[in-house]
Amino acid sequence: MLPYVLKRLLAMIPTLLGITFVTFLMVNLAPGDPVATQFGQGGGEGSTGGDGAGARDRRGDTIKAKKKLLGMVREDPTVHAWPLDVPPGEGGATSWTRSTRLGELPAWAQALAVLPGGGVVVGDAQGGVWRLDAQGEVAWGVAAAQEPAGATPPRGVRALVVDGDSVLVGDQAGRLSRRDLATGALLAEGPALGRALRDLVVVPGAGIASAGEDGMVRLHDPAGLAPQLVLEGHRGAVHALALSPNGLLLSGGYDRALRAWDPGTGALAVELPPLPQAINDLALSPAGDRLALAGDDRKVRILSLDDAPLATLDPGAARVLAGHHLAVTSVAWSDDGRYLVSGSEDESARLWDVASGSQRAATPDIGGELRQVAVAGDRVYTAARSWRTVPVWRRYVSWLWRTARLDFDRSFVDDRPVIDKIAEALPVTVGLNLVAIGIIYAVSVPVGVLAAVRRGGPFDQVSGLVLFLLYSVPNFWLATLLIMALSSEKTLDLLPSVGLYSAGHEDLSYLSWLWDRISHLVLPVTVMVYGGFASLSRYVRSSMLDTIQEDYVRTARAKGLPEYLVVTKHAFRNSLITVVTLVASLLPAMIGGSVIVEYIFSIEGMGRLGFNAILARDYPVIMAITTFSAVLTLLGILLSDLLYSVVDPRVRTE
Amino acid sequence: MAAGRVDESAAARAWRRLRRHHGGMLGLAIVVLLTLSGVTAPLVANDRPIVCQFRGQVYFPALASYVDAWVPWQSLRYELKSLEVTEGWFPMSGHYVALEGRTWKEVRDAPELGFALWPPVPWSPTQFDPTALKRKPGQDPAHPLGTDDQGRDVLARLLHGTVVAMLVGVVAMSISVAIGVTLGLAAGFFGRGVDLVLSRITEVVMCFPTFFLIIAVIAFLEPSIVNIMMVLGLVGWTKFFRLVRGEVLKVKSLEYVTAARALGLSQRRIMFRHVLPNALGPVFVAVAFGVANAVLAETSLSFLGFGDTSVPSWGETVMQGRAYVSQGLWHLTVFPGLAIFVTLTGFNLLGEGIRDAVDPKLRD
């Protein structure tokens, strides 16, 4: 017996792998996106048509949402480095197809500062600061301090600037700190100002200037890093700072106007007419003669600083580099001032030839908005909230591993663990089916036996006809007819047709409670059983007919046993064995087939759970139910084979 | 005893035995009648005349409805109807031009219309009658079996629904049979590795909860009738695989195959000429039951709201009946349900008949 069981179990392994694979494929190939469906924006791919860029973006967003939810992509917390080797001549383009990934940080990189000797300092979204050398090795790193959840706002680093042999760090809590460039040791830390510091500039002789999201530009004491001078005037967050060659501090931000300040006195020197939209970044060319502005209006502007006094500059007359299709977040100049790199929310970075204004290279879709770009020598660094594709085989392995642990993730709809939802629904369906199977057996076995014993008689013919006709009745039709006849105000309002119990059934007395449960069961169970009557009683009948022809039955008759003993003890018991083994394979099939009954009678079982999950594109639930039912079916087949081999040992030797 | 003649072919014997099988013949009669009613539906229930004379030109406008009924691809339907086929005889688009944007119904009393032979049920299955919503049978002499919530004639939908049910059943079964028989023949004939791999694949497909899988796929795809046929066909082949594989294994070891091999016949000839025809008996039985199952699956899908709403499916009307139970629109449930029931009974009876006719255990 044991070798047979082992053999059968081993034979199950490829089938199990196949089941998980098909389930995996089904969801990974499914079009449409769960988020859009959930919010009622329609289902399949057809509904998200349209050729406009807006429609494309929306569709890209929703596909990305699905990918993220399904684990098709994972966070990519690295700094990408791209080669800056533009071939000479007009139109020469460098190819940015592959980047070098530097570091593997605990969170997305948000701020970059390039080091004169090669390498880069990175600030991550959790507040960690890392120094990476040119090969991407971590020279030193300070991870974010573990703070109690929800205690303070996250301390993501938003601004970094190198000052001699130290680096200045501005974070989302508005704290300015100084770290040693060689060791990473904390040298000084200023007070938390509450709102993020978005940019930092070292102003020789005046201290360190910071751009605050609270609309203030501050000058900090270089030693203690406490704010000394506050430059007020911006009406909205300040996003970027730059120091002009003639010593003025330039600032731009949400209020769209570029301002110049005297860092010594803190007086507003110049306010330029506003741009169409917010300024996200400023970058002064290495020669100091041009200023690049990154705009929320998807454009990069270049202002010449040398041919006119600052006050007469017209940002509207600037040279415009257009190409990004979402807001530009960051700009940086190449060391020779010939090229400009821009990063954008459209998830790409682009390289521009400043002289001609033409685009020379663009990164492939990084998978997330760019936060900062930086150039050092022949390398372009980008920090982005990027995502990288998880290889299919790895996704499949992790799906297998999670399935093996019965970890089916959380439902997209209510964020509850899928396994909990199944644990609620499965007993309902199994209970209902056990009742149904019990009734099917209780009715079909006597009918089948009687029909076989009186073969060709009136009972055999009438029961055969009735059962055959019942077999052809569609269950959804019968259910609707029953509801119409027995559960409608128009006709008889005898039986409830919704759910398995009335509201407030807990407060009923025992007898009324019992009646409540039973009356709710009558209609669904009726619909579930009648089809089974036909198939099972025919099976019993033919199995009885086979046994009745056996020699041992003839022997029993020959030795003079009464006919009822021949039938019950010799024929029936032998034919029953094979009939009983059918139970094991009947149960899982019914679980899969309960969709319609549970849908019609609003029973919260597996079928309805699956039906609703399909409507809501709730992929984790769909995957779990499919896998669950398939494995149950497989186990049912195995169980019935094993039962059969117990009954009939000849099977094992085949 | 009308003894089985020695020279009688298997098919002839099966047919002779089927003819004496009352249930089987009743099933066959039902299937034939249903087919006839489906084929003639565009001539029986239509909003266009069968034949008419319009401005001196003779048209057969109802013929255009055959394209609607028999071409499952919506785009191809449109293409075919906008063709300029020979003037007068087969006007797919010609009559639109002639009618100057009016429907045939609107020109019924127009002076340009000469003689016209109108169908007995003057409604098409997808035509809305806004003046007669939710009519019960007998309420409105124009709609003998009533109308649904959008004013579509139930009788017209019943008649045209036959084609939908039959097409889905037959096409889905053809796909299933093609896949199942091919794979089963390969598995049974070549054995070893081929058999092992194909049997495992079949086991995987069999383990899935079929109906749930169908709903899932149809929900993800566009719910067109073509997709429904394809999915039903792609899910239902395992039965045929197992039948054919088993039969081929049995037939392969018979003496006449050994004899064919000894004669030096090619593998291909043995496989297709000697093994396959003798392994197909159980397939015919399964096809009849399979069509019934496919019809049930399609109507169930429509009932759950996953059907193709551009074709008149019986299940869709039953669904409307369920939605309006409280308004007492019983005819929406009863009539199409009866149609499904009769169809299923017909195919099941036919299946029984064929089973008894091809069963070698039953003697004449």
Side-chain angles (χ1 to χ4, degrees):
Chain A
M1 189 67 205
L2 193 65
Y4 178 72
V5 175
L6 283 178
K7 205 180 100 189
R8 285 300 319 247
L9 283 176
L10 272 179
M12 273 174 65
I13 292 174
T15 315
L16 279 173
L17 286 176
I19 288 170
T20 51
F21 186 65
V22 173
T23 315
F24 176 78
L25 271 190
M26 192 171 101
V27 168
N28 277 272
L29 296 180
D33 127 79
V35 182
T37 314
Q38 213 171 309
F39 292 105
Q41 290 165 10
E45 292 213 84
S47 58
T48 40
D51 279 321
R56 250 201 323 276
D57 286 345
R58 270 201 305 283
R59 198 172 135 195
D61 282 353
T62 52
I63 288 174
K64 187 170 290 163
K66 176 190 167 187
K67 286 182 165 178
K68 285 173 188 169
L69 285 168
L70 290 177
M72 292 161 124
V73 289
R74 63 183 171 89
E75 282 183 31
D76 175 25
T78 58
V79 174
H80 293 244
W82 312 83
L84 180 67
D85 51 351
V86 188
E90 182 62 26
T94 179
S95 84
W96 276 0
T97 51
R98 284 187 73 90
S99 63
T100 316
R101 285 198 165 83
L102 305 181
E104 188 75 31
L105 311 175
W108 276 314
Q110 292 203 129
L112 290 173
V114 291
L115 298 173
V120 62
V121 180
V122 188
D124 71 32
Q126 286 172 359
V129 182
W130 312 79
R131 181 180 165 175
L132 309 176
D133 64 21
Q135 280 72 47
E137 300 297 324
V138 177
W140 53 261
V142 188
Q146 284 298 318
E147 292 181 58
T152 45
R155 292 185 56 183
V157 175
R158 288 309 300 271
L160 286 171
V161 68
V162 176
D163 179 18
D165 54 3
S166 65
V167 61
L168 292 156
V169 182
D171 68 21
Q172 261 158 298
R175 209 180 270 114
L176 183 61
S177 55
R178 187 191 287 275
R179 290 185 181 276
D180 187 85
L181 206 48
T183 63
L186 186 66
L187 301 176
E189 188 172 47
L193 300 169
R195 301 292 298 275
L197 299 183
R198 292 288 296 269
D199 202 1
L200 299 172
V201 161
V202 180
V203 186
I208 295 137
S210 72
E213 260 183 4
D214 51 2
M216 310 291 175
V217 177
R218 293 181 177 85
L219 282 163
H220 298 253
D221 161 32
L225 302 179
Q228 287 174 319
L229 191 59
V230 178
L231 316 181
E232 281 182 70
H234 275 287
R235 293 178 297 275
V238 187
H239 290 160
L241 297 172
L243 195 62
S244 79
N246 54 11
L248 287 180
L249 182 63
L250 305 170
S251 68
Y254 182 73
D255 64 1
R256 306 178 297 172
L258 185 66
R259 289 177 172 79
W261 315 79
D262 178 353
T265 63
L268 179 64
V270 180
E271 179 177 341
L272 294 184
L275 270 84
Q277 283 187 38
I279 300 168
N280 286 329
D281 199 9
L282 296 172
L284 202 66
S285 66
D289 55 342
R290 281 162 300 172
L291 181 70
L293 296 94
D296 235 11
D297 59 350
R298 303 174 286 181
K299 294 185 177 77
V300 178
R301 288 183 171 75
I302 301 174
L303 288 172
S304 266
L305 297 182
D306 51 358
D307 32 315
L310 197 59
T312 63
L313 278 183
D314 177 11
R319 176 198 283 282
V320 172
L321 307 178
H324 283 293
H325 60 266
L326 285 175
V328 183
T329 52
S330 174
V331 281
W333 292 88
S334 71
D335 292 349
D336 55 6
R338 287 177 58 200
Y339 301 106
L340 193 69
V341 178
S342 64
S344 159
E345 282 176 10
D346 68 6
E347 305 175 1
S348 71
R350 285 163 207 245
L351 177 71
W352 310 86
D353 185 328
V354 178
S356 67
S358 62
Q359 179 182 316
R360 284 304 176 80
T363 61
D365 187 344
I366 291 175
E369 64 180 84
L370 272 286
R371 277 298 167 88
Q372 193 165 3
V373 293
V375 185
D378 57 355
R379 272 183 136 175
V380 175
Y381 298 95
T382 57
R385 307 174 74 82
S386 56
W387 296 78
R388 69 198 291 187
T389 311
V390 179
V392 174
W393 65 268
R394 183 173 282 180
R395 257 186 285 148
Y396 179 58
V397 168
S398 81
W399 154 242
L400 258 185
W401 173 231
R402 286 195 293 116
T403 310
R405 289 179 301 153
L406 292 183
D407 169 15
F408 290 107
D409 220 332
R410 285 165 180 276
S411 160
F412 288 173
V413 175
D414 54 10
D415 205 35
R416 290 178 52 209
V418 172
I419 197 75
D420 286 4
K421 299 184 96 170
I422 289 186
E424 271 169 30
L426 193 63
V428 175
T429 304
V430 170
L432 210 56
N433 278 299
L434 284 181
V435 174
I437 289 178
I439 293 177
I440 291 176
Y441 269 81
V443 172
S444 311
V445 171
V447 169
V449 170
L450 222 62
V453 173
R454 309 225 189 289
R455 185 184 181 188
F459 180 80
D460 185 20
Q461 292 196 332
V462 171
S463 70
L465 180 70
V466 170
L467 289 175
F468 185 82
L469 289 181
L470 274 186
Y471 183 70
S472 301
V473 174
N475 58 356
F476 62 91
W477 185 48
L478 186 74
T480 313
L481 286 180
L482 286 175
I483 291 178
M484 242 164 61
L486 299 177
S487 176
S488 153
E489 292 137 17
K490 286 262 172 179
T491 51
L492 298 167
D493 200 357
L494 288 179
L495 293 165
S497 64
V498 175
L500 284 181
Y501 39 76
S502 318
H505 66 109
E506 298 95 340
D507 305 332
L508 296 171
S509 68
Y510 181 71
L511 274 182
S512 356
W513 176 85
L514 196 66
W515 169 242
D516 184 61
R517 295 307 299 259
I518 292 177
S519 65
H520 276 91
L521 279 177
V522 173
L523 290 183
V525 170
T526 309
V527 174
M528 288 167 85
V529 295
Y530 76 91
F533 288 165
S535 41
L536 192 70
S537 63
R538 285 167 151 247
Y539 195 86
V540 174
R541 179 175 173 273
S542 65
S543 158
M544 267 301 276
L545 286 178
D546 284 348
T547 14
I548 280 177
Q549 288 168 0
E550 295 283 344
D551 291 341
Y552 56 79
V553 174
R554 200 177 308 148
T555 312
R557 281 212 180 93
K559 72 184 179 187
L561 279 183
E563 183 63 20
Y564 80 93
L565 272 183
V566 174
V567 171
T568 51
K569 278 193 116 168
H570 292 259
F572 174 62
R573 289 183 76 162
N574 275 301
S575 70
L576 190 63
I577 291 166
T578 55
V579 173
V580 167
T581 55
L582 270 183
V583 175
S585 57
L586 216 59
L587 187 62
M590 290 190 81
I591 290 174
S594 56
V595 179
I596 291 181
V597 172
E598 290 179 7
Y599 164 78
I600 295 178
F601 294 105
S602 313
I603 297 168
E604 300 295 334
M606 291 281 277
R608 198 173 157 84
L609 182 66
F611 183 80
N612 289 336
I614 289 173
L615 285 183
R617 298 284 194 285
D618 195 349
Y619 293 113
V621 176
I622 298 173
M623 287 174 98
I625 288 188
T626 322
T627 317
F628 233 84
S629 318
V631 172
L632 275 182
T633 312
L634 197 61
L635 289 178
I637 296 173
L638 177 73
L639 193 63
S640 81
D641 280 5
L642 292 185
L643 276 177
Y644 201 82
S645 78
V646 171
V647 176
D648 187 353
R650 283 172 298 181
V651 175
R652 267 176 266 164
T653 55
E654 271 177 26
Chain B
M1 193 168 179
R5 299 195 310 276
V6 186
D7 58 339
E8 191 180 30
S9 76
R13 189 173 66 235
W15 171 238
R16 185 167 50 77
R17 286 164 65 162
L18 179 63
R19 257 189 339 207
R20 292 213 316 256
H21 193 284
H22 297 297
M25 286 317 280
L26 179 61
L28 189 62
I30 292 176
V31 170
V32 169
L33 273 179
L34 283 172
T35 314
L36 277 180
S37 95
V39 170
T40 55
L43 304 180
V44 175
N46 211 324
D47 56 342
R48 301 158 187 180
I50 301 169
V51 55
C52 68
Q53 194 180 29
F54 190 75
R55 291 203 177 113
Q57 181 102 10
V58 177
Y59 291 108
F60 298 88
L63 291 187
S65 302
Y66 276 98
V67 177
D68 288 325
W70 288 92
V71 180
W73 291 274
Q74 227 168 342
S75 49
L76 187 62
R77 245 182 261 164
Y78 180 77
E79 288 289 319
L80 281 177
K81 279 195 292 185
S82 54
L83 279 180
E84 198 69 46
V85 198
T86 50
E87 288 160 41
W89 272 103
F90 201 67
M92 294 287 187
S93 63
H95 59 276
Y96 289 116
V97 180
L99 294 178
E100 293 152 350
R102 288 171 291 177
T103 63
W104 281 104
K105 227 161 210 165
E106 285 160 353
V107 298
R108 190 162 192 158
D109 301 318
E112 302 101 298
L113 194 67
F115 75 90
L117 178 60
W118 291 88
V121 182
W123 305 98
S124 83
T126 47
Q127 187 192 5
F128 306 114
D129 182 357
T131 62
L133 303 181
K134 301 183 194 168
R135 290 293 156 87
K136 288 183 197 165
Q139 236 179 17
D140 188 340
H143 302 284
L145 290 190
T147 60
D148 67 5
D149 59 337
Q150 295 161 57
R152 295 177 296 192
D153 187 69
V154 172
L155 181 56
R157 288 184 75 75
L158 277 191
L159 291 170
H160 285 262
T162 318
V163 183
V164 178
M166 300 287 246
L167 260 190
V168 168
V170 171
V171 173
M173 263 317 98
S174 311
I175 297 173
S176 289
V177 168
I179 301 175
V181 170
T182 313
L183 296 187
L185 182 63
F189 194 78
F190 297 116
R192 293 167 191 276
V194 181
D195 186 21
L196 193 74
V197 171
L198 290 177
S199 295
R200 287 284 155 266
I201 293 176
T202 314
E203 208 172 302
V204 170
V205 177
M206 275 171 55
C207 277
F208 279 99
T210 321
F211 193 65
F212 183 73
L213 195 68
I214 294 172
I215 303 180
V217 177
I218 291 299
F220 294 159
L221 300 174
E222 202 182 320
S224 77
I225 198 81
V226 181
N227 283 343
I228 293 176
M229 290 171 184
M230 301 273 278
V231 173
L232 288 178
L234 287 177
V235 168
W237 56 268
T238 52
K239 200 184 315 137
F240 299 101
F241 172 85
R242 301 216 311 168
L243 283 173
V244 172
R245 177 179 167 272
E247 282 297 303
V248 168
L249 283 178
K250 223 187 296 169
V251 170
K252 208 169 66 164
S253 60
L254 294 181
E255 284 98 346
Y256 76 89
V257 177
T258 320
R261 210 159 260 151
L263 284 173
L265 296 186
S266 71
Q267 283 280 86
R268 212 175 61 187
R269 197 175 161 85
I270 296 176
M271 190 155 115
F272 288 111
R273 291 294 300 274
H274 297 269
V275 174
L276 184 61
N278 290 294
L280 283 182
V283 172
F284 291 116
V285 183
V287 164
F289 292 119
V291 172
N293 274 333
V295 171
L296 181 62
E298 190 276 324
T299 47
S300 303
L301 276 176
S302 295
F303 176 77
L304 292 178
F306 289 113
D308 184 344
T309 46
S310 74
V311 297
S313 167
W314 291 331
E316 192 192 337
T317 314
V318 180
M319 171 181 74
Q320 289 167 347
R322 178 174 174 262
Y324 293 106
V325 159
S326 58
Q327 297 186 20
L329 298 184
W330 56 271
H331 62 289
L332 294 182
T333 308
V334 172
F335 297 127
L338 264 180
I340 303 170
F341 170 65
V342 170
T343 313
L344 297 186
T345 311
F347 279 104
N348 284 335
L349 278 173
L350 184 60
E352 295 260 300
I354 300 177
R355 173 159 64 201
D356 290 348
V358 300
D359 190 350
K361 273 192 283 181
L362 295 178
R363 294 260 67 91
D364 296 90

